[in-house]
C-alpha cells in the first residue's frame, strides 16, 4: 500500500489500546512510523495491542490524558474517550473531563511541539438530529443536561477548544466526526448495537432492541474509517475539518438484528425494550466533504464487514465463557 507520509515520524496515539486506536496503530506501523500508544485501559484492553509489544517501533505508556503529558512527538492523534453509552455513562464526570481536559492537554502539547494534532470527534455532536442526513454545517440538537450529554457536550467542547487553539495560536488541527464504526477488537460488552446483537446471537440469547427498531444507523467498517483518518491527517493546513467519516448506507436497528441472526445461524428471538432517553432516531452521515477533499468513501459493505466481525467474536467465545 502506498505510504501517505514522505518520511518516518514519531506519532502519539491517545486511546491507542481501544478499538479504533489499535487499528490506527496497525496502519501507522505498516507505514513505517514510530508509535507511542497512550491509554489508561479504562475501556481499552491490552489484548488489542499485544501483537505490537515486540515491535521495535512501538511503545506503550499507561497514562490518563486528563493529566498533562510531556513527550516528544511529530504528530498527535487524540482518540482517548469512552465511546459507548454503557461506558461513558458509568462515570459521566470523568467522561467529560476526558474530552475537555484531555483536549486541553493534547493541544498544549501540540502547541509546545508545534505539531499537527487530530481530534476524534463524533456524530453524537449532532444529537437527535432534525436535519437528515447530517452535513458538517448542521449545528445539532443536543440536550445539554441529559444522560448522554457527558459525551455529546464533552466532544462539542473539545471541538471548540481545537478551533480556538487553531484561531488563537495558529495550531494545525484536524477534526473528524466519526459515525458508528464496527469490526474486530470491539469490546464484547461495550453495549453498542453491533457487538450486542452479535454476542446475543452467538449465544442464542434474546436480542434486545430498544424502541420499536425503526430508528436508523449507518455502520462503517473500521478499516474504512482508519483510511479516512489517515487521509485527513495527510492533508495540508488549509483543511481543518470537521469532516464526517462514516458509511452513508442506512439501516434500521431491526434490520441489523435480523441480519445478525441470519449470519450467525442463531435461534435467538427479538425482544423489545424501552428506548433510552435522548437516543437519536436517525443517524446518517453526509460525506460529500470527505469525498471532495479526501477522495474517500467506504469500500466494505455491511454483510462483508459483519462476517469478519462475527468471526472475531466467535473466536473470543471460549475465553469469555471461562471468565463468566
Amino acid at each position: 500500500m502506498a505510504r501517505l507520509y514522505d518520511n518516518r515520524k514519531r506519532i502519539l496515539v491517545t486511546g491507542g489500546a481501544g478499538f479504533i486506536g489499535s487499528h490506527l496503530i496497525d496502519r501507522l506501523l505498516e507505514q513505517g512510523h514510530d508509535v507511542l500508544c497512550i491509554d489508561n485501559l479504562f475501556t481499552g484492553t491490552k489484548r488489542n495491542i499485544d501483537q505490537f509489544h515486540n515491535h521495535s517501533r512501538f511503545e506503550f505508556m499507561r497514562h490518563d490524558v486528563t493529566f498533562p503529558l510531556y513527550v516528544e512527538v511529530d504528530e498527535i492523534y487524540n482518540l482517548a474517550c469512552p465511546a459507548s453509552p454503557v461506558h461513558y455513562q458509568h462515570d459521566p464526570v470523568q467522561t467529560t473531563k476526558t474530552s475537555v481536559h484531555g483536549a486541553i492537554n493534547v493541544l498544549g502539547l501540540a502547541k509546545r511541539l508545534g505539531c499537527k494534532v487530530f481530534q476524534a470527534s463524533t456524530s453524537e455532536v449532532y444529537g437527535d438530529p432534525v436535519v437528515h442526513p447530517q452535513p458538517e454545517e448542521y449545528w445539532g440538537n443536543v440536550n445539554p443536561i441529559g444522560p448522554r450529554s457527558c459525551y455529546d457536550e464533552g466532544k462539542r467542547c473539545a471541538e471548540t477548544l481545537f478551533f480556538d487553539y487553531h484561531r488563537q495560536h495558529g495550531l494545525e488541527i484536524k477534526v473528524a466526526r466519526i459515525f458508528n464504526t464496527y469490526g474486530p477488537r470491539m469490546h464484547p460488552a461495550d453495549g453498542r448495537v453491533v457487538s450486542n446483537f452479535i454476542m446475543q446471537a452467538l449465544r442464542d440469547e434474546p436480542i434486545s432492541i430498544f424502541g420499536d427498531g425503526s430508528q436508523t444507523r449507518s455502520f462503517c467498517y473500521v478499516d474504512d474509517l482508519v483510511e479516512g483518518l489517515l487521509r485527513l491527517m495527510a492533508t495540508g493546513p488549509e483543511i481543518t475539518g470537521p469532516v464526517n467519516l462514516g458509511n452513508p448506507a442506512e439501516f434500521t436497528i431491526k434490520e441489523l438484528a435480523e441480519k445478525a441472526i441470519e449470519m450467525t445461524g442463531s435461534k435467538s428471538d427479538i425482544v423489545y425494550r424501552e428506548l433510552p432517553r435522548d437516543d437519536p432516531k436517525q443517524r446518517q452521515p453526509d460525506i460529500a466533504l470527505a469525498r471532495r477533499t479526501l477522495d474517500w468513501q467506504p469500500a466494505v459493505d455491511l454483510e462483508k464487514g459483519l462476517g469478519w466481525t462475527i468471526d472475531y467474536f466467535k473466536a473470543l467465545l471460549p475465553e469469555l465463557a471461562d471468565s463468566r
Side-chain angles (χ1 to χ4, degrees), residues 132-134 179-182 194 215-221 224 245-253 255-256 259 282-287 291 296-303:
H132 190 75
Q134 294 82 56
F179 283 67
N180 291 62
T181 304
Y182 70 99
V194 172
Q215 64 270 40
T216 66
R217 296 292 184 272
S218 304
F219 302 102
C220 185
Y221 190 67
D224 284 335
L245 293 177
N247 194 321
E250 190 177 15
F251 296 87
T252 68
I253 296 301
E255 286 173 331
L256 180 69
K259 192 165 281 290
Q282 292 179 304
R283 181 75 81 231
Q284 182 189 22
D286 180 333
I287 63 167
R291 284 192 175 108
W296 176 89
Q297 64 182 12
V300 178
D301 65 34
L302 183 62
E303 187 146 335

Side-chain angles (χ1 to χ4, degrees), residues 113-190:
L113 298 174
C115 72
K116 189 185 302 187
V117 58
F118 166 88
Q119 168 64 12
S121 190
T122 172
S123 62
E124 297 300 322
V125 301
Y126 298 122
D128 188 6
V130 296
V131 172
H132 190 75
Q134 294 82 56
E136 290 85 354
E137 294 79 13
Y138 177 51
W139 291 354
N141 177 39
V142 177
N143 177 1
I145 59 170
R148 301 172 67 101
S149 59
C150 59
Y151 184 69
D152 301 2
E153 295 288 27
K155 289 289 192 178
R156 285 163 70 94
C157 184
E159 286 196 17
T160 299
L161 285 162
F162 265 70
F163 278 88
D164 282 339
Y165 263 77
H166 171 66
R167 286 184 287 259
Q168 186 171 337
H169 301 296
L171 198 63
E172 187 173 355
I173 65 166
K174 308 292 178 184
V175 177
R177 290 177 177 162
I178 298 172
F179 283 67
N180 291 62
T181 304
Y182 70 99
R185 301 183 199 159
M186 293 184 81
H187 195 293
D190 70 1

